[in-house]
Amino acid sequence: MHIPNDSLRSSRLSIDLTWTLRYRNVSPTELLLMPPDLRSWTSSHELKTSGQLDSQDLEQFKELREAIFGALSRAVDDQPPSTSQRKVINENAERSPYIPALASNGSITLKHDGSGVDAALSTVARDAIELLALRDGRLRRCEGPGCALIFYDESRPGTRRWCDTSRCGNRVNTHSYRQRRSTESK
């Protein structure tokens, strides 16, 4: 399965990882089925990895994803992460991070030890830690029917209701419009 680069994206790397399991509360749809799916996701999020990703790498990302999703879900409900969620997130954050280096053209390149999987996991976990520590009331669960995605509301008024306006927001608005039209025509 190829994960499109422009598929549903949030403004946070850790949230994007949780979005690789869609329709959790209705019909869970796994987007990270095989190592090439993980390669596609890491590449689309500019997480540098080298070599062949394997099923163990895939399982590590899924374990981190579920810990982050659980912790974010609890944060939305104003609860702290569980001990096991904190443990998984913290252990991944402690992995060897990317090391920034100045390239000959003046740009920044990211170096890593080994395959880069540790650095990618560390980057995602560190983003989750920063997000969970914000506690600013802008972490939300999508109000779209059948959607269980969590998002961070960066809108100025802080009143966003959907993970993506063109996805869930459009569905809700279209449904409401059709219901109004149906009622008006009777």
Side-chain angles (χ1 to χ4, degrees):
M1 169 182 290
H2 173 69
I3 300 172
N5 290 351
D6 61 348
S7 67
L8 194 56
R9 301 249 328 233
S10 75
S11 61
R12 300 302 298 240
L13 182 59
S14 56
I15 290 176
D16 283 359
L17 180 60
T18 69
W19 287 7
T20 61
L21 181 60
R22 304 274 173 87
Y23 313 111
R24 285 174 182 268
N25 58 349
V26 184
S27 176
T29 304
E30 178 64 70
L31 299 182
L32 299 178
L33 294 170
M34 298 174 23
D37 302 329
L38 178 58
R39 166 76 69 209
S40 179
W41 188 84
T42 57
S43 295
S44 72
H45 287 78
E46 299 180 17
L47 295 170
K48 310 290 184 211
T49 54
S50 59
Q52 193 75 352
L53 297 178
D54 60 27
S55 57
Q56 181 180 353
D57 300 328
L58 184 61
E59 290 310 311
Q60 289 175 332
F61 270 88
K62 287 180 179 182
E63 178 186 36
L64 178 58
R65 175 188 68 194
E66 294 311 304
I68 292 171
F69 182 78
L72 294 176
S73 294
R74 291 176 62 89
V76 167
D77 295 333
D78 233 5
Q79 298 175 354
S82 71
T83 302
S84 62
Q85 291 161 349
R86 263 192 350 266
K87 180 180 179 199
V88 170
I89 293 168
N90 288 337
E91 284 176 354
N92 279 286
E94 291 172 2
R95 292 174 181 263
S96 298
Y98 289 112
I99 301 162
L102 190 58
S104 60
N105 66 359
S107 66
I108 296 173
T109 61
L110 297 177
K111 295 182 177 190
H112 55 77
D113 294 339
S115 68
V117 171
D118 281 350
L121 286 163
S122 177
T123 301
V124 175
R126 289 168 188 232
D127 181 70
I129 290 169
E130 290 173 11
L131 183 60
L132 288 162
L134 286 175
R135 296 180 168 191
D136 59 2
R138 289 182 172 251
L139 196 57
R140 308 237 167 80
R141 189 173 287 109
C142 182
E143 293 180 19
C147 187
L149 298 180
I150 292 177
F151 66 92
Y152 184 75
D153 181 4
E154 290 185 296
S155 69
R156 183 174 284 179
T159 57
R160 196 168 129 199
R161 299 172 45 202
W162 303 295
C163 59
D164 185 71
T165 311
S166 62
R167 182 176 180 255
C168 289
N170 188 47
R171 286 181 192 155
V172 170
N173 291 333
T174 300
H175 179 72
S176 297
Y177 172 77
R178 287 183 179 153
Q179 279 195 316
R180 278 195 313 274
R181 297 286 292 172
S182 155
T183 305
E184 290 171 1
S185 64
K186 290 183 181 180

